[in-house]
Each structure stands twice: as C-alpha cells, then as structure tokens.
Amino acid sequence: MSNSQKPTRVLVTGGGGFLGSAIVKRLVQRGCPVRSLSRRRYSQLEALGVEQVQGDLDDFSAVDQACSGMDTVFHVAAKAGVWGPWSAYFRTNVTGTENIVTACVKHGVSCLIYTSSPSVVFNGKDMAGIDETAPYPDTYHTHYPETKAMAEKIIRHAQVDGLKTIILRPHLIWGPGDNHLVPRIIARARRLVQVGNGQNLVDTIYIDNAADAHILAADALEAHPELSGSLYFISQGKPIRLWDMVNAILKAAGLPPVKHTLSHRTARMIGAIMETVYRKFHLPGEPLMTRFVADELATSHWFDISAAKKDLAYEPAVSTREGLDRLAVWLKNGR
C-alpha cells in the first residue's frame, strides 16, 4: 500500500472491532480512504471519517457493496469463541470468506490480507517454536479453529484473476481497547484456576504490533507479489509462561494472582463432562471449561516468526513490559 499520489482505497471487515479499529486508525493516518463492513455502526469510525457499510459477512449483497471500488481488503471480522452452533461459525468464517474472495475478484481488488489464528494447527499438544509448515490436525475439538482452517484454504486457493493474498496468524491479541481476552480474565479473576504445572510457554501479541503487521503485509504484497499465497505467524517474538501473563494482566487491573491449581487431566475430564451437559440440556452461554480450553491452558504454543521478520520486515515495536504498562493505565482510567 504505497503512499502514492492516488491513495489506496481500503476495506476493513470488522473495522469497529479491537484489531479492526487499530488497523483503521493506521490507514486513516496514512491518508487512505477507508470503508468498514460491520453488523452495526460505530461512532469512533464516524469520527475518523470512515465510510461504514452495515451487513453480515454471509450476506453477499452487503459484501459486494463493501468491496466495490476497493484496492485492498483486510478481512479481519470473524466469529470467535469456543462454544456455539456449527452453523453460526460456518456462516461467518467460511461462507463469509467465500463471499469476500468472490467480491474481491468481481471488483478487481488487488490485495487481500486475511486474519487467521494459530489455533488452526493446534492438535491439543505442545507447539514449541513451530513454523508455517506445521500441518492442520486431523480433528478439532471446537468449531472456531476448524472453520478458520477452512477459510485459510479458501484464501490460499484464491490466486486467480490478479488477486494477491497473505494470511496472518496473530496469537492472543491484547492491550488497551481489548474487548475479549483481558475482560474475560478480569471477569473470572476470582474463579480462575491454573491448569497444568504453570511452565507452559505461549506467544501473545500486543495490539499495536498486530496492527503494524497487517499494514506491513499489505505493503510487502504490493512490492513483492510473489509472496502471494504465503502465511505468517506473528507475535511478540518472546514467549512467556501463560500463567505469568495471566497474572500480569490481573496485576495491571489491580487484582491478585491466581492461587489454585488443577491438573491438565482433571481439567480435561471436567471439560468433557460440561460439554456433554451443555449439549444435552441446551444450556445458554458457554461452559466454564471445555477440552479445548483445558488443552490451551496447559500446553505450550509459541511460534517461529522468522518468516514474518524476513518477508514482511516485521519487528514487534512495543515490548510486552511496555504493553502491560499501557494496559494498566487504560484499566486505571476506567477503560
């Protein structure tokens, strides 16, 4: 996305969300005309002068309208989470991605940056320093990673009619403005239990670094079209013990650290029981524990980001320490 005389016209799906809005702000600062596709209108986008199209990703007419006249698309929006009906995940993550690709080809969009997740290759076991050659697992224990993997395959097979693509896999995005990870940790602070021995290392990524990586990917794809079809893990570049990170977020919120522990095996058994009960009785909300969550909390999952450093010139500009300091200020000011 060059800063040429004619600014790049950009669509961000989910432009009002946590990551989407961070990307939008950078694009506006660059002078790019920006459009957002979301299910509702956002006052902060209006204040930035961002054009807003309202609609669902599985509604092709809305996607078609949003992609019309665009040069670059950041497809950030998705249905996340660990619980819910298959149809809801499939509609948004698979059908929605098919619609984005179809509309991009129809309207001659040149660059498509897709936000995926490392969970697409998670098999329930430790992932220590793996790179982009890691295979998809044979089975999934929750719908989100399975449908995101299906969407990745759609993007990787979309090398047609001049459409260039890159897939990014950010892991555990956090920071000021977070409306998912940090609030969930804080809301469950008094009930949190350490699963496993607490030594498992994980990658995370601070929100500014995640947004920067997306802009860098678009720039790299424009300058080096041969990168099309590539995918990249992105993170802070320095894994941290998961439960140290949880406790650091709690500390930033002025809350005490997690004190109680549970073995991985016991947590997994509890998760299996809760999944069965929720399905059998069609209970609202989501279980406090599932097998997938137990596995994520007890295993290591960190990644080799050397490909992103080499091809995209990605370097995490904000350290985890600095990010936690910024998070503490944001939380202290009442979010």
Side-chain angles (χ1 to χ4, degrees):
M1 278 186 324
S2 63
N3 293 301
S4 58
Q5 193 170 12
K6 182 182 178 184
T8 304
R9 299 162 299 176
V10 186
L11 168 69
V12 180
T13 69
F18 180 39
L19 175 59
S21 61
I23 294 170
V24 165
K25 286 174 187 173
R26 279 156 178 72
L27 294 168
V28 170
Q29 289 167 357
R30 280 190 163 203
C32 295
V34 182
R35 179 184 293 165
S36 170
L37 171 63
S38 297
R39 285 181 294 177
R40 65 182 181 89
R41 293 188 67 82
Y42 291 86
S43 57
Q44 68 266 32
L45 295 183
E46 197 167 327
L48 290 170
V50 173
E51 181 187 353
Q52 298 185 63
V53 175
Q54 282 184 264
D56 289 310
L57 285 167
D58 65 335
D59 176 4
F60 182 74
S61 62
V63 173
D64 186 55
Q65 177 189 350
C67 289
S68 177
M70 296 295 103
D71 301 307
T72 297
V73 171
F74 291 91
H75 182 24
V76 181
K79 177 168 175 57
V82 299
W83 197 252
W86 168 260
S87 58
Y89 285 92
F90 187 88
R91 277 198 312 270
T92 300
N93 297 342
V94 181
T95 303
T97 299
E98 288 175 337
N99 286 343
I100 288 289
V101 169
T102 301
C104 282
V105 172
K106 175 181 175 181
H107 294 289
V109 172
S110 60
C111 295
L112 172 59
I113 309 299
Y114 176 64
T115 310
S116 187
S117 164
S119 64
V120 298
V121 294
F122 183 51
N123 61 6
K125 300 176 182 177
D126 286 325
M127 297 189 300
I130 68 168
D131 65 17
E132 290 79 5
T133 62
Y136 297 115
D138 294 329
T139 58
Y140 292 91
H141 288 303
T142 191
H143 301 326
Y144 173 69
E146 184 169 6
T147 53
K148 291 294 281 186
M150 294 169 73
E152 276 198 2
K153 293 170 186 175
I154 291 167
I155 299 291
R156 297 191 80 176
H157 289 109
Q159 315 303 307
V160 292
D161 298 325
L163 178 63
K164 303 184 293 294
T165 67
I166 277 180
I167 295 168
L168 296 180
R169 292 173 172 171
H171 193 244
L172 297 177
I173 307 173
W174 60 279
D178 187 353
N179 58 357
H180 182 65
L181 179 65
V182 168
R184 282 172 69 92
I185 290 173
I186 292 171
R188 298 184 179 193
R190 309 294 177 185
R191 295 176 293 167
L192 280 174
V193 177
Q194 176 186 300
V195 176
N197 62 17
Q199 298 305 303
N200 50 312
L201 294 172
V202 300
D203 265 335
T204 72
I205 187 164
Y206 184 70
I207 180 61
D208 289 15
N209 296 335
D212 289 345
H214 282 71
I215 303 299
L216 287 168
D219 288 346
L221 193 53
E222 182 179 50
H224 303 284
E226 67 274 13
L227 294 177
S228 184
S230 300
L231 59 87
Y232 301 93
F233 289 111
I234 52 171
S235 71
Q236 291 295 94
K238 293 181 180 178
I240 183 173
R241 284 195 292 262
L242 184 147
W243 293 99
D244 286 355
M245 187 66 191
V246 169
N247 287 330
I249 290 171
L250 290 173
K251 183 179 179 181
L255 294 167
V258 177
K259 293 179 180 149
H260 303 291
T261 62
L262 197 66
S263 73
H264 183 191
R265 182 180 179 185
T266 301
R268 220 172 183 281
M269 288 173 59
I270 292 170
I273 292 168
M274 294 193 81
E275 288 176 46
T276 301
V277 170
Y278 267 70
R279 286 197 182 100
K280 183 174 181 179
F281 296 103
H282 305 287
L283 298 180
E286 66 180 50
L288 287 174
M289 182 61 68
T290 68
R291 289 169 296 169
F292 177 80
V293 170
D295 291 343
E296 284 237 306
L297 294 177
T299 59
S300 292
H301 23 103
W302 58 278
F303 313 96
D304 180 351
I305 64 168
S306 58
K309 289 184 174 184
K310 175 179 174 288
D311 292 351
L312 311 182
Y314 170 71
E315 288 290 344
V318 181
S319 70
T320 300
R321 178 70 266 160
E322 183 181 349
L324 286 166
D325 289 343
R326 293 183 187 182
L327 178 65
V329 171
W330 179 68
L331 291 170
K332 186 176 180 180
N333 292 333
R335 290 183 262 180

